Amino acid sequence: MDKLIIKGGRKLKGEVTVSGSKNASLPIFVATILAPGINQISNVPFLRDINTTIKVLDSLGACVEGNGNVVKIDSASIWNHEATYDLVKTMRASVLVLGPLLARFGRARVSLPGGCAIGARPINLHLKGLQALGAAIVLEHGYVEATCKRLKGTRINFDISTVGGTEHLMMAAATAKGETVLENAAREPEIVDLAQYLNRMGAQIEGAGTDTIHIQGVTELSAANYEVMPDRIEAGTFMIAAAMTGGDIRINGMKLEHLDALAFKMQDAGVEITSRDGVVRVKGPKRLRSVNIKTRPYPGFPTDMQAQFMAMMCVADGASVISENIFENRFMHVSELLRFGADIVIEGNTATVKGVRKLSGAPSMATDLRASASLILAGLAAEGTTEVTRIYHLDRGYESIEKKLAGLGADIVRVKE
Ligand code: EPZ
């Protein structure tokens, strides 16, 4: 296994370019199941989760060429309607193949995803929605078996805002008979990207990005090419890296409007953020100010940036109250940050962070994707050397992050453990 070694204290400078979005690529790859044909998907990041999604599509019989930047997916040869446990357990988002397989073949058998480090992450709302569309669902031996000759459009109201649930039902309803209305839908930019791809395939979807999405079912879709949106969480992670090191960087290829909630909170903390001709400049202050955050569904503060923002508050002036309202166990990074000399107290879903003058570098271990990013950020700002092990978590969602940070002047290397 690899680990990262970071020598902290350098101010980041220079330019970096953001890769394509992991969380937009995954559902778009899955949507290719809906229609036979060759789809060319571009601006795809080279990530472990992309490779896993390709393995899932391969197992269903699709022919996939490439594993990043440009990926060609020929879904005409898909014949298998079963996604097995060993694939789904590797990456929960694979469960999204259920709806598209059901829509195309009238049946599907997909392993239940199980939980992960950050929470139980049930899919009850996905299944409830598919049943509302007319699917017969049976759960046995850890698998979901779904059958339906043809799904039928209906109104679906989500109890809570779910990104995957909204994506799943948008895909399933695209070829259902009649209209489907998704109420209390999630509004994330990745959902808008998926809807744009589906419409390019011939779907009729309106309202993606709002909390009410209208889907007029069509009889058939056709393969389409698409360029994936930039990864807003990777972009936000670089913004915080600049802020924490008192650096001054320019980020190419990101959409600042996808990160309003984060940018406003960073500006409250004293960070200068400007955007011109598609380039975002981020300048960290001598000393950051503490700011409170509450994670919320989009356009609220993104839960995927909570760990990174906490790392930043560890070196801010004053106390910051951080509440995690999306997942039940997303403070796994706290115990590791304490080893850098951070001052953090957790009470339920709230962490109080008292800024310290300086963090000190330490050996640490990644536990989940975004927690590993927060440890790297702490290492960049800390005095001395930091090691981060189990960075396979990191490779799920960040493309060559150590190379990109080194390109900004960080002293960071990847070594074999
Ligand atoms: C997506 O996960 C993202 N993953 C997550 O990013 C992100 O944190 C999350 O949305 C929230 O923004 C991908 O897009 C691949 P949810 P998803 O359904 O769809 C509960 C990362 O780091 N819920 O919006 O699984 C659920 O338990 C990852 O890139 C139900 O109760 O998230 C959670 O508490 C981590 N029943 C809340 O809703 C359901 O049927 C939000 O989950 C579905 C969800």
Side-chain angles (χ1 to χ4, degrees):
M1 284 194 280
D2 294 354
K3 66 181 176 183
L4 294 177
I5 299 175
I6 304 159
K7 289 196 179 63
R10 300 228 180 141
K11 293 180 189 300
L12 299 191
K13 297 251 185 273
E15 277 194 42
V16 68
T17 300
V18 167
S19 299
S21 163
K22 165 178 87 83
N23 289 352
S25 300
L26 302 183
I28 286 171
F29 273 37
V30 168
T32 62
I33 294 169
L34 285 165
I38 296 179
N39 307 267
Q40 183 158 301
I41 313 297
S42 54
N43 199 33
V44 175
F46 289 87
L47 298 173
R48 280 184 65 220
D49 276 8
I50 295 292
N51 289 338
T52 304
T53 309
I54 290 171
K55 278 198 197 116
V56 172
L57 291 174
D58 272 340
S59 74
L60 299 176
C63 291
V64 186
E65 271 173 49
N67 66 342
N69 215 321
V70 178
V71 178
K72 264 170 81 175
I73 301 170
D74 183 349
S75 53
S77 48
I78 290 178
W79 57 271
N80 178 13
H81 60 271
E82 176 166 338
T84 58
Y85 175 62
D86 64 316
L87 281 170
V88 177
K89 78 172 189 285
T90 318
M91 186 191 69
R92 306 181 59 268
S94 329
V95 77
L96 293 180
V97 305
L98 178 66
L101 287 171
L102 181 62
R104 182 161 160 197
F105 299 107
R107 54 193 293 218
R109 184 170 188 271
V110 175
S111 165
L112 280 163
C116 76
I118 63 177
R121 305 187 70 184
I123 58 164
N124 57 311
L125 302 178
H126 300 230
L127 301 181
K128 199 171 147 200
L130 289 173
Q131 280 173 318
L133 289 170
I137 301 261
V138 174
L139 301 184
E140 60 180 12
H141 310 305
Y143 277 76
V144 184
E145 306 229 359
T147 50
C148 181
K149 242 173 120 44
R150 186 177 180 198
L151 295 168
K152 197 168 168 309
T154 184
R155 297 178 82 78
I156 293 167
N157 186 296
F158 289 107
D159 299 353
I160 49 173
S161 167
T162 158
V163 172
T166 302
E167 291 167 342
H168 204 162
L169 295 173
M170 206 160 67
M171 289 190 282
T175 55
K177 189 171 170 7
E179 182 185 40
T180 297
V181 182
L182 302 182
E183 295 170 344
N184 193 28
R187 300 169 53 188
E188 273 68 4
E190 291 76 18
I191 289 166
V192 176
D193 225 31
L194 173 62
Q196 283 171 349
Y197 173 63
L198 287 167
N199 284 341
R200 193 157 307 166
M201 291 177 85
Q204 290 176 19
I205 300 171
E206 286 176 8
T210 74
D211 62 3
T212 305
I213 301 176
H214 291 261
I215 304 142
Q216 293 299 337
V218 295
T219 45
E220 65 169 10
L221 298 171
S222 45
N225 299 338
Y226 195 73
E227 181 176 328
V228 171
M229 63 177 263
D231 193 306
R232 62 193 174 100
I233 305 303
E234 184 196 21
T237 304
F238 289 129
M239 290 169 71
I240 289 192
M244 284 182 74
T245 59
D248 182 353
I249 70 169
R250 286 177 305 288
I251 305 172
N252 299 317
M254 68 174 279
K255 290 188 176 168
L256 187 57
E257 65 270 24
H258 288 166
L259 285 167
D260 280 345
L262 172 70
F264 293 151
K265 286 293 179 180
M266 289 183 73
Q267 286 163 336
D268 289 350
V271 182
E272 257 181 72
I273 301 171
T274 49
S275 172
R276 206 174 67 202
D277 309 332
V279 179
V280 174
R281 183 176 177 191
V282 182
K283 208 168 167 321
K286 272 201 176 4
R287 182 76 173 154
L288 289 156
R289 293 191 294 268
S290 290
V291 170
N292 298 338
I293 59 164
K294 292 180 189 314
T295 63
R296 291 272 182 249
Y298 191 89
F301 190 96
T303 175
D304 291 351
M305 285 302 306
Q306 179 258 109
Q308 301 92 310
F309 197 88
M310 185 184 288
M312 187 169 88
M313 290 296 100
C314 289
V315 289
D317 227 3
S320 154
V321 178
I322 293 176
S323 77
E324 172 53 57
N325 303 299
I326 305 295
F327 291 109
E328 63 267 32
N329 188 34
R330 206 167 195 178
F331 284 149
M332 307 273 277
H333 41 287
V334 170
S335 49
E336 292 300 305
L337 288 172
L338 292 175
R339 305 182 57 256
F340 287 76
D343 178 350
I344 308 170
V345 174
I346 297 177
E347 268 180 86
N349 73 329
T350 300
T352 302
V353 184
K354 285 204 184 80
V356 296
R357 191 190 63 76
K358 266 271 174 208
L359 294 173
S360 60
S364 62
M365 185 180 79
T367 51
D368 64 84
L369 170 53
R370 306 306 173 182
S372 44
S374 74
L375 301 181
I376 292 173
L377 294 168
L380 291 173
E383 245 157 14
T385 302
T386 292
E387 285 193 4
V388 183
T389 58
R390 301 194 180 183
I391 55 168
Y392 53 84
H393 290 290
L394 192 77
D395 294 334
R396 293 192 54 174
Y398 288 96
E399 181 181 326
S400 316
I401 192 167
E402 74 279 3
K403 291 194 185 107
K404 293 187 176 186
L405 288 171
L408 290 169
D411 182 343
I412 179 171
V413 289
R414 177 188 286 252
V415 296
K416 288 273 170 246
E417 205 167 5

